[in-house]
Amino acid sequence: MHPSSAVPRAVPLRAPAAPQTFVAGLVLLALAGIAFWLTADLPRGSLRSAGPGMLPQALAVLIALCGAVLTVSGFLVRGEAIPKGSLRGPVCISLAIAGFALTIKPMSFGALTTPELGLAVAGPLAIFLGGYAAPGARFKPLLLLALTLTPLCMLLFGDMLNLPIPLLPQFLAENLFADWSYKGALRLTAAALLAAALALFLLTRTRGGR
């Protein structure tokens, strides 16, 4: 036997047969990991008495399973290659999710703590970052969408579902609404944002009709 025949050969890495599917699976796995990490401190409770962490963590597990299936199938099933510029969508969506999580409430990273900016800032930020995932995104339509969806989310989750969501940056909330009830401040903030959306819509229509 030749001496070199006993030396094991390195197995060459195999490229994914469907790069687009493979990258999509990795993005889902990353998003599921971030979601599970951000909700790790929330109590899950039990099936009879679900805690605030049960639903988001269950969704994170399901998303991770879907990501694992896509990642594996990217090697097994032939599919499309990644076209140029296609990473814009996943990157913008990931930034939107991370930006919302980092600005809605304070988060501690050792000695560093992010500021509490509330839904009035975190909502539009997520809409803008997610909206620019589309190649044809424009500033004014996204601004109108942000000024409309954000107050509707406030009214749905904070007013109707009674979830204690931070509304404004902490320093503004402490100075402007110190003597207000939570729902009073919520409704006033939502009304102000909807009024701004209506004013922007009318202004855009007026200029477009000239």
Side-chain angles (χ1 to χ4, degrees):
M1 178 180 294
H2 196 275
S4 61
S5 62
V7 179
R9 290 185 176 182
V11 179
L13 295 177
R14 178 186 174 187
Q20 201 169 33
T21 303
F22 176 73
V23 171
L26 292 181
V27 171
L28 288 181
L29 287 173
L31 292 178
I34 293 173
F36 201 89
W37 173 64
L38 292 174
T39 59
D41 294 335
L42 297 177
R44 284 189 288 270
S46 62
L47 293 177
R48 292 185 178 182
S49 178
M54 177 170 288
L55 180 58
Q57 290 177 13
L59 290 176
V61 171
L62 292 176
I63 292 174
L65 291 176
C66 293
V69 171
L70 288 176
T71 302
V72 173
S73 64
F75 286 97
L76 301 179
V77 180
R78 184 169 298 278
E80 298 180 2
I82 301 176
K84 292 182 179 180
S86 64
L87 291 179
R88 173 177 176 171
V91 168
C92 287
I93 297 299
S94 300
L95 289 176
I97 296 173
F100 184 86
L102 292 173
T103 55
I104 184 68
K105 294 179 66 176
M107 294 189 65
S108 297
F109 301 92
L112 178 64
T113 301
T114 61
E116 179 179 309
L117 300 180
L119 189 57
V121 175
L125 177 64
I127 291 171
F128 270 102
L129 291 175
Y132 276 106
R138 293 182 298 166
F139 178 79
K140 286 185 178 180
L142 284 178
L143 179 59
L144 182 60
L145 182 64
L147 292 174
T148 304
L149 284 183
T150 301
L152 293 180
C153 289
M154 288 181 178
L155 294 173
L156 174 61
F157 295 105
D159 199 349
M160 298 177 63
L161 298 179
N162 295 315
L163 297 177
I165 301 175
L167 301 177
L168 294 170
Q170 190 172 11
F171 65 93
L172 287 179
E174 292 175 351
N175 291 291
L176 294 179
F177 298 112
D179 298 328
W180 287 60
S181 66
Y182 174 77
K183 287 196 174 183
L186 182 150
R187 290 167 184 170
L188 181 60
T189 304
L193 291 174
L194 288 174
L198 179 60
L200 177 63
F201 174 75
L202 294 176
L203 181 63
T204 304
R205 289 290 299 272
T206 302
R207 289 184 176 180
R210 291 179 181 178

